[in-house]
Amino acid sequence: IWKSADSSLDNQIAIIENFIQQQVDCILIDPYDSVGLIPVCEEAKAAGIPVCSAGNYIDSDAVISNLYNDREDTKIIGQLVGNMIGGSGDVAMLYGATGNFVSDERQAGWEEAMEEFPDINCTYYEVGWDISATLKTTQDILASNPDIKAIHCFSDGNTAAVAQAVEQAGLTGQVIVSSYDGNKDASQAVEDGKYLCTLLTGAKRVGYWNIQVCAEAAKGEDLEQKNYLESYLVVNDDTKAKVEEFGIGYDGMNIVDPQKAIELFDDMGAMKASAE
């Protein structure tokens, strides 16, 4: 049973309450607000219904959270961008919404990276998941500061609008664009030189993986509260050499070229995950 909350916390709560009344076997959610949903998730647990959070974290033992390493992976992108621009200048970071765990983690990872570059001036903009708002925000950024060196966007769906605005301004190749999520078009943009990088999270694998975890939870299997799906930094060969030159990364970090990332997008056999 699939229901859309239309980016509304109230709608999401009402949908979950309805699922509880239906006595479903398990509830899988992509939480709009990782704090605001805790009470209704605990209500579900009290009714004997396990709850799984897809690609997100809810800090409650009532929820099994399936996650990416968003903070560390975004920090790597921030370190890469910071080094690529020589450690100084103006950059912008576009994030989703405060209170959304994924957006918060990605923003926090970027902020941690920026702390390493005191001569970089980074400005932050909340754009939600609204493509039109992202386009308008980026146009305004470029109009007010055409010398900006880089723009990082928290999600591929929005980054396409960033790249569009950069191209319209005639700044392709001058303003570094970096992204996150690893959609096929984003990986192709890395291949084409429009993006410096993106980060492949789960793609189709995450849908498969979350349903697998939900099925196990519905059967009453004992599961970890936090489970992590493997991710991949998507860069071309030249940028990979820069990552190595700058000495950035963490143990076990995966780096792939754009064509490999496009293959992995559809590979539901690549299901390596680990519990915290």
Side-chain angles (χ1 to χ4, degrees):
I1 306 167
W2 182 87
K3 298 288 183 181
S4 172
D6 297 321
S7 299
S8 165
L9 174 60
D10 290 339
N11 287 351
Q12 201 160 46
I13 291 171
I15 289 168
I16 296 170
E17 288 175 338
N18 184 257
F19 284 156
I20 294 171
Q21 291 173 4
Q22 293 180 55
Q23 297 181 325
V24 299
D25 297 298
C26 186
I27 300 172
L28 172 63
I29 58 176
D30 183 1
Y32 185 72
D33 185 314
S34 54
V35 175
L37 286 176
I38 289 176
V40 74
C41 290
E42 293 179 345
E43 182 182 338
K45 181 182 179 181
I49 301 171
V51 178
C52 295
S53 177
N56 220 316
Y57 178 62
I58 295 178
D59 189 10
S60 168
D61 62 7
V63 182
I64 299 162
S65 293
N66 302 322
L67 307 164
Y68 316 122
N69 196 8
D70 285 321
R71 184 183 291 238
E72 282 300 312
D73 284 336
T74 304
K75 182 178 179 180
I76 296 304
I77 295 174
Q79 291 172 326
L80 174 58
V81 170
N83 279 285
M84 291 292 289
I85 66 173
S88 65
D90 295 337
V91 303
M93 192 275 178
L94 278 56
Y95 63 96
T98 300
N100 177 277
F101 179 79
V102 169
S103 178
D104 287 347
E105 284 291 282
R106 295 180 186 182
Q107 182 179 352
W110 185 265
E111 290 173 346
E112 288 179 11
M114 291 300 101
E115 289 175 1
E116 300 177 16
F117 303 97
D119 293 328
I120 290 180
N121 175 41
C122 184
T123 308
Y124 296 83
Y125 300 86
E126 182 174 329
V127 294
W129 286 259
D130 188 321
I131 306 304
S132 297
T134 303
L135 178 61
K136 179 64 166 60
T137 298
T138 308
Q139 289 170 335
D140 291 344
I141 291 169
L142 296 174
S144 63
N145 187 2
D147 294 324
I148 194 166
K149 292 187 175 180
I151 301 175
H152 175 71
C153 188
F154 80 112
S155 178
D156 287 340
N158 294 63
T159 310
V162 174
Q164 180 183 342
V166 170
E167 183 175 2
Q168 289 173 345
L171 296 173
T172 300
Q174 180 177 326
V175 177
I176 289 176
V177 176
S178 54
S179 192
Y180 203 102
D181 279 337
N183 294 344
K184 286 184 177 180
D185 56 351
S187 291
Q188 188 61 52
V190 175
E191 176 87 353
D192 297 340
K194 295 179 180 179
Y195 297 179
L196 174 68
C197 63
T198 187
L199 195 292
L200 176 64
T201 50
K204 291 184 179 179
R205 297 177 302 131
V206 75
Y208 187 102
W209 180 51
N210 276 291
I211 293 300
Q212 183 182 56
V213 171
C214 277
E216 293 171 356
K219 293 174 184 176
E221 296 186 20
D222 187 24
L223 300 168
E224 297 288 339
Q225 186 187 7
K226 289 183 181 180
N227 300 283
Y228 289 86
L229 186 63
E230 200 164 36
S231 58
Y232 304 82
L233 179 66
V234 183
V235 294
N236 63 28
D237 289 342
D238 288 342
T239 305
K240 180 180 179 181
K242 289 292 185 182
V243 171
E244 295 169 352
E245 176 187 331
F246 299 144
I248 57 180
Y250 55 83
D251 289 343
M253 184 178 77
N254 299 300
I255 303 178
V256 296
D257 63 45
Q259 289 307 311
K260 181 61 177 179
I262 290 171
E263 292 176 17
L264 286 168
F265 187 93
D266 290 317
D267 185 5
M268 288 179 285
M271 294 296 298
K272 182 180 176 183
S274 62
E276 185 182 49

